[in-house]
Amino acid sequence: MKLSIVISTQPAKFDALAYKGQLAENIIKIRRLGYDGVELAVRDPEQIDLPTVKMLTVGRGFPVSAIGTGQAFGEEGLSFSDPDEKIRREAIDRIKAQIALAEQLEALVIIGLIRGIVQPGIETRQANGWILDALSECASENPSVSLVIEPCNRYEANTVNTVNDGIELIDKLGMSNVGLLLDTFHMNIEEPDMLQSIENAGDRIFHFHIADSNRWYPGAGHIDFPAVVEQLKRIGYDGFLSAEIIPMPDPDTAAAKNISFMRGLVG
Amino acid sequence: MKLSIVISTQPAKFDALAYKGQLAENIIKIRRLGYDGVELAVRDPEQIDLPTVKMLTVGRGFPVSAIGTGQAFGEEGLSFSDPDEKIRREAIDRIKAQIALAEQLEALVIIGLIRGIVQPGIETRQANGWILDALSECASENPSVSLVIEPCNRYEANTVNTVNDGIELIDKLGMSNVGLLLDTFHMNIEEPDMLQSIENAGDRIFHFHIADSNRWYPGAGHIDFPAVVEQLKRIGYDGFLSAEIIPMPDPDTAAAKNISFMRGLVG
């Protein structure tokens, strides 16, 4: 397994990001800390200086593990489950742009908060239909780019809260380039038994987020990371463990603590 | 230690309540299940039929463990930290009415969500000052009624999220009728080590909420309740363990599962 950490490509409101701004400097810094790659949180691919990002990452043999897309919901309100068809279309087009970016960076595209919040008065079945349609269209866009559905805890989303919800969605969709992204922080709230949920998800797991129970760096809370890593090894997961953590007590310390603790577990 | 469960005295939006409506029937039902008492969620004491409630509870030797007050925030927007002085005054007056009710029912009064959400543009220091003033005024109202501050997780509140925040507030206030209410669901998210936090809070713990990590009945998630009960015994806690749980798979099953599991632990 490889280790990466989320950095934002532009300032963001959402605070569970280890770094904000100063992209080049930050990529160099986390590489020096010993990370195997970087996960990029991108609001809008149009605002990315692609040649520079490519040169700093894949161009130097430093992979981009995934592209996070939630800022387009958090900051612009774009979502797959908005009752306004125009907004749903914008969300789908934005994800298609992320897919084009992901192809250049050889990365996965995360489908998390972009699913949106099912609004009062909208039937869940209707919203789930919109989400399924959007996913299906996006996944067909480029079969060489994988999409990963992230189950998010009840406070952040009202669709796909549990790993089981995610498994059902993946299986319903039945497309080989769509998998799951499990996140230990969300699982601590939603899963009765995180290790069992990892086993249930099995080879549908394409990407994995780590954060401790309080969303600080692993080791700062009570999640049993040795057992999580052991279980991931057991099911044959060999992708990234990507830290999506609150930058506390400060971003540099959080990034250093994470790599030091996790390197001891994954080798 | 004694076991109680939250029931709402009127229909409520907030769903972490084991029962809604049908008050008398529900009190009788949970008594038959073997509970030692009941916790009442009350939006407005004026809407309570006090003689009936008293007759069904303390009048028959069935204690009211505590009175929950959060519905006044959730449904009416009353809070200690609202920038509008008039709303703060209404919140304080509402809690004073709850204190009068609590005196009749020999119960504690919970100060949880009624603290409110510090609004954008309001300084935390200012909001904390308002909360401290409100608490001080309420606690002075009737020294024979105890108030309990409930640390609530980051998604539900932005003041007093951790047990340590609660300890600091209690110690700053320095009034003997103000203590803490710890809740296992919130602690699973906020506390790096729940057992250590219980020890730190010590005799400031006046009341205790149980719910598993997914807010279902204890046993449905991954919280180590045997260790929690053991730790509470060790620090000499002999109050109620009150179930504030999601009524899933249905209210009766949740109430029965909780008492059966917890009775095995507390004796």
Side-chain angles (χ1 to χ4, degrees), chain A residues 41-108:
Chain A
V42 177
R43 185 174 65 69
D44 186 347
E46 278 207 2
Q47 300 194 353
I48 293 276
D49 172 6
L50 180 58
T52 301
V53 172
K54 210 168 167 179
M55 182 267 288
L56 288 164
T57 56
V58 285
R60 292 184 182 165
F62 192 59
V64 177
S65 61
I67 294 173
T69 63
Q71 290 176 5
F73 174 64
E75 304 193 9
E76 295 174 68
L78 302 187
S79 98
F80 286 175
S81 60
D82 198 284
D84 183 341
E85 193 185 342
K86 201 164 143 277
I87 290 175
R88 295 202 301 278
R89 174 51 45 199
E90 270 190 76
I92 292 169
D93 290 344
R94 181 65 58 85
I95 294 301
K96 288 184 178 177
Q98 299 275 26
I99 288 169
L101 174 66
E103 186 178 28
Q104 292 293 315
L105 298 175
E106 300 162 34
L108 303 158

Side-chain angles (χ1 to χ4, degrees), chain A residues 152-155 161-162 186-192, chain B residues 213-214:
Chain A
C152 298
N153 80 65
R154 64 194 70 185
Y155 293 106
N161 296 130
T162 66
H186 294 304
M187 287 198 286
N188 175 57
I189 298 174
E190 297 297 340
E191 305 304 314
Chain B
S213 47
N214 49 7

